[in-house]
Amino acid sequence: MITSAVVSAFGSALGSFLSSSNTTNNKPSNNKRQSPSRINWVDVFSYAIHGGIINAPICHYWFEWLATNGPSSNTSSVLVDQLVVQPPLLVLMFVCLDVLRANIRASIGQFREANVVGKALSAAGPAVVDSWRFWPFAVYFTFKYLKKKHYTVALNLCSVAWTAYLAKGGGGGGDAASN
């Protein structure tokens, strides 16, 4: 099932990518040659998400069910698939793609508006310094005083403390505007 989801996501994304890279800009220009349009990454990601998360499992289980419980004739199975199942799946696909596109565009807008990259870069410096103050000692004392079977638990507990520190605004992390 995971392989089917990955292949479906990749195939859907590739089809969208090829479609947007092979189209030309329809805007009139003084040049006789039209310039190729830019890749529509929102569509590429929308098709990938739909293909991997929605279409792959539905088709996987539908075709398994059709093979075991459907008509014995291949022709009848194709007719059932194309006349009964595919039309509602196409409607579902177009609804899902529109929802995905809207969400991706809204996320991109919020990402830009909130200056996410700038904030992350300014918070990274102090966080790295604090990380060097915390993690070497946490790892050293874990290795020195605990048995190997307890390493993961101990370091996960250290991670809880580290995350709480960062979330409170330590090391430049956290969202000080919301406090």
Side-chain angles (χ1 to χ4, degrees):
M1 181 64 209
I2 292 174
T3 303
S4 175
V6 170
V7 169
S8 182
F10 180 76
S12 296
L14 181 61
S16 178
F17 176 84
L18 292 173
S19 171
S20 66
S21 66
N22 286 331
T23 58
T24 56
N25 221 344
N26 291 330
K27 293 179 184 174
S29 67
N30 295 337
N31 296 343
K32 296 200 180 208
R33 286 181 15 199
Q34 292 180 334
S35 61
S37 66
R38 296 176 47 182
I39 304 298
N40 185 342
W41 291 108
V42 171
D43 268 4
V44 171
F45 289 121
S46 297
Y47 274 96
I49 293 167
H50 173 268
I53 295 175
I54 298 166
N55 190 53
I58 290 173
C59 288
H60 174 81
Y61 291 115
W62 162 243
F63 288 126
E64 272 188 11
W65 184 89
L66 189 61
T68 56
N69 301 313
S72 57
S73 161
N74 288 339
T75 304
S76 298
S77 292
V78 170
L79 287 173
V80 167
D81 177 57
Q82 292 300 305
L83 297 176
V84 178
V85 175
Q86 291 307 315
L89 284 181
L90 283 171
V91 171
L92 175 66
M93 180 192 78
F94 289 123
V95 169
C96 290
L97 287 173
D98 284 345
V99 169
L100 288 166
R101 287 178 185 127
N103 283 315
I104 290 171
R105 286 187 182 112
S107 296
I108 291 170
Q110 290 172 346
F111 185 84
R112 288 180 180 153
E113 186 179 301
N115 189 23
V116 172
V117 173
K119 287 179 183 178
L121 290 174
S122 66
V128 167
V129 172
D130 287 348
S131 172
W132 289 338
R133 291 179 185 146
F134 177 79
W135 282 106
F137 296 104
V139 173
Y140 174 78
F141 288 116
T142 298
F143 289 173
K144 181 165 176 74
Y145 293 109
L146 298 176
K147 294 178 181 176
K148 280 187 180 181
K149 67 180 182 178
H150 296 111
Y151 286 1
T152 303
V153 172
L155 292 174
N156 281 339
L157 290 172
C158 290
S159 181
V160 169
W162 176 249
T163 303
Y165 170 74
L166 288 177
K168 275 293 209 185
D175 189 6
S178 67
N179 291 338

